[in-house]
Amino acid sequence: MDCIFCKIAAGEIPSTKVYEDDKVIAFNDLDPQAPFHVLIIPKEHIASAAQIDESNSAVVAHIFEVAAKIASEQGLSDGFRIVSNCGESAGQTVMHLHFHMMAGRDFGWPAG
Ligand code: AMP
Ligand code: ZN
């Protein structure tokens, strides 16, 4: 499958890894929108949040456990934002489920 994030998960495309285990990988976003900006993705190909069901939702819980671990390891004590864009109008450009984890500045709300 021609999926850039599957290739990153397989180590076929280089990335700056912040965290990895058997189910997920977190790496620096190429075009950071905050001083700290990583993408946390499942290694399994899931196209977007719209494809989450009871067969694959456990990895989403795991991603949030990993996010808390990253926050603690990276000292993000002022807080962080997690965003998953789902579908074109929400701004999704890579069709492999990913969670943006950003920190290091103040964020407005509503976003965008
Ligand atoms: P989205 O627009 O929500 O689908 O997010 C896709 C994100 O992937 C964007 O923030 C891009 O900067 C990022 N991105 C695309 N290609 C790479 C890559 N090879 N390594 C790291 N980040 C990437
Ligand atoms: Zn993929």
Side-chain angles (χ1 to χ4, degrees), residues 3 6 45 96:
C3 170
C6 281
H45 182 85
H96 179 128

Side-chain angles (χ1 to χ4, degrees), residues 5 8 27-31 39 85 91-94 98 100:
F5 285 0
I8 286 176
F27 52 94
N28 285 339
D29 195 295
L30 266 189
D31 181 22
L39 301 172
N85 298 321
Q92 186 178 7
T93 58
V94 177
H98 52 281
H100 297 261

Side-chain angles (χ1 to χ4, degrees), residues 14-92:
S15 66
T16 305
K17 283 178 213 169
V18 170
Y19 177 89
E20 181 172 14
D21 63 27
D22 57 328
K23 297 185 213 56
V24 308
I25 180 168
F27 52 94
N28 285 339
D29 195 295
L30 266 189
D31 181 22
Q33 302 301 310
F36 180 90
H37 186 172
V38 300
L39 301 172
I40 313 176
I41 70 168
K43 288 188 169 177
E44 171 194 4
H45 182 85
I46 300 169
S48 78
Q51 273 70 47
I52 301 295
D53 60 27
E54 61 188 13
S55 77
N56 59 16
S57 60
V59 76
V60 178
H62 185 62
I63 281 170
F64 277 80
E65 288 172 22
V66 166
K69 196 180 289 187
I70 290 171
S72 152
E73 283 172 6
Q74 304 279 335
L76 307 180
S77 53
D78 286 346
F80 53 88
R81 177 168 287 181
I82 294 179
V83 174
S84 186
N85 298 321
C86 177
E88 223 169 287
S89 66
Q92 186 178 7

